[in-house]
Amino acid sequence: MERRRQQAVTGGADPGVILRLFDSESAKARFNKSTPGQRAFASWMRNRERQIEDTTPMDLTNFLNFGLESKGWKPQTARTYLSAALKYFPMEQQKELRKDENLEDFLRVMGNNNLKCICHQDIDLEPIFSAIQDMGNNTTMTTKQLTTKTCFLLGLVGFLRPDDLACIDVAQSHM
């Protein structure tokens, strides 16, 4: 339904037409005929301010991951929701979306329960920041103090590879 709404808007439909076709009681009744998986995907996309017709394979992957982590879906449930979400698209586009390597890999490994997400854990970094501030200003430090500070900082992030640092989701981090 969301795809059809966007097609109508893009096609130049007047607000009254949009209201009758998509926001009336009969339109809502038609919408309720869609599957729970389709409604869940449409809602998930709306919450992220994304349009269904602009769906990428990574959107589908993120949607499935959201269901597995936040909703407690089992892998088979996630596959069912994926099939439902794909019904929004023409068959040719469904094939293109399914061919994505990342989506295929995710579908293959999503049943592995040995992965632990640390997405929603709070880590207090205040002691680290305090220790760095207590070391003083770099311009007034002796060579020994600068060496100590450098070693401390390398100890904090030295074990991380550059691609590990690049994978940190700064948007989900807060201070």
Side-chain angles (χ1 to χ4, degrees):
M1 183 165 171
E2 199 65 32
R3 178 176 54 90
R4 291 186 58 218
R5 174 194 293 270
Q6 288 305 317
Q7 286 174 339
V9 168
T10 305
D14 290 334
V17 172
I18 299 296
L19 180 69
R20 283 191 172 83
L21 284 177
F22 302 105
D23 297 330
S24 66
E25 289 303 317
S26 62
K28 290 177 184 173
R30 283 193 316 272
F31 176 72
N32 287 335
K33 290 180 184 174
S34 63
T35 67
Q38 288 174 312
R39 289 192 299 272
F41 180 67
S43 173
W44 185 85
M45 289 291 281
R46 262 193 314 277
N47 289 340
R48 280 149 190 80
E49 298 178 357
R50 303 264 301 138
Q51 304 299 321
I52 288 181
E53 65 271 3
D54 297 332
T55 297
T56 64
M58 195 50 66
D59 288 327
L60 292 168
T61 306
N62 289 334
F63 170 65
L64 296 178
N65 191 58
F66 165 78
L68 291 167
E69 287 183 358
S70 301
K71 301 291 186 183
W73 295 345
K74 296 197 179 327
Q76 188 54 44
T77 304
R79 290 179 192 282
T80 302
Y81 273 71
L82 173 63
S83 294
L86 286 171
K87 288 183 181 173
Y88 274 115
F89 308 102
M91 191 59 76
E92 198 58 41
Q93 191 175 358
Q94 287 180 29
K95 290 177 184 176
E96 286 298 314
L97 289 168
R98 278 191 183 272
K99 275 199 269 184
D100 182 71
E101 286 182 34
N102 289 323
L103 179 59
E104 287 177 352
D105 289 345
F106 184 82
L107 291 171
R108 198 172 14 265
V109 300
M110 74 177 167
N112 295 350
N113 293 330
N114 58 354
L115 302 174
K116 182 179 179 189
C117 178
I118 57 170
C119 301
H120 306 292
Q121 293 184 358
D122 290 331
I123 300 171
D124 185 16
L125 298 176
E126 184 58 37
I128 294 170
F129 294 139
S130 295
I132 293 170
Q133 285 178 339
D134 291 345
M135 289 180 185
N137 189 342
N138 292 350
T139 58
T140 60
M141 296 175 85
T142 66
T143 304
K144 183 177 180 185
Q145 290 170 324
L146 275 172
T147 303
T148 302
K149 189 173 187 179
T150 302
C151 290
F152 178 75
L153 292 171
L154 284 172
L156 286 175
V157 296
F159 65 93
L160 296 172
R161 299 177 307 224
D163 59 328
D164 292 333
L165 293 171
C167 290
I168 295 173
D169 189 356
V170 179
Q172 291 187 2
S173 302
H174 58 85
M175 296 183 81

